[in-house]
Amino acid sequence: MPRYVPKTYNNRRILRIIVNIVITVIVSVIVLFLTLFFILESHVVDGELEIPWLVEDEVEDDVTSAPIILIDNNL
């Protein structure tokens, strides 16, 4: 008869895998938040976030814009 080995069937492998995944996700989210916070901190102007590559240029009336023609159908 084989010798009894304690905790052979009760090693909680699945529980350890789930706990490790949860801890990994939490640490990843914290690192991502801190990284974005310190990177985007240099783009704050007067309390507003202004990222140069996301700012749309203001379009002024110039020659390239198409004229708007109003048609009065009540003649």
Side-chain angles (χ1 to χ4, degrees):
M1 203 158 149
R3 185 179 88 137
Y4 174 72
V5 180
K7 296 185 179 180
T8 302
Y9 300 105
N10 193 15
N11 60 9
R12 298 182 180 142
R13 181 174 183 223
I14 298 294
L15 181 64
R16 284 185 289 146
I17 291 173
I18 292 172
V19 169
N20 285 336
I21 290 173
V22 169
I23 289 172
T24 304
V25 168
I26 290 172
V27 169
S28 299
V29 167
I30 290 171
V31 168
L32 179 66
F33 173 76
L34 290 175
T35 304
L36 287 176
F37 178 77
F38 287 112
I39 288 175
L40 296 177
E41 184 180 27
S42 62
H43 296 290
V44 175
V45 178
D46 295 331
E48 293 183 4
L49 185 62
E50 293 185 7
I51 302 174
W53 59 88
L54 295 179
V55 175
E56 295 180 7
D57 295 331
E58 293 183 15
V59 178
E60 297 180 12
D61 291 333
D62 58 349
V63 182
T64 59
S65 63
I68 299 174
I69 301 172
L70 297 176
I71 299 174
D72 188 11
N73 292 331
N74 294 330
L75 294 177

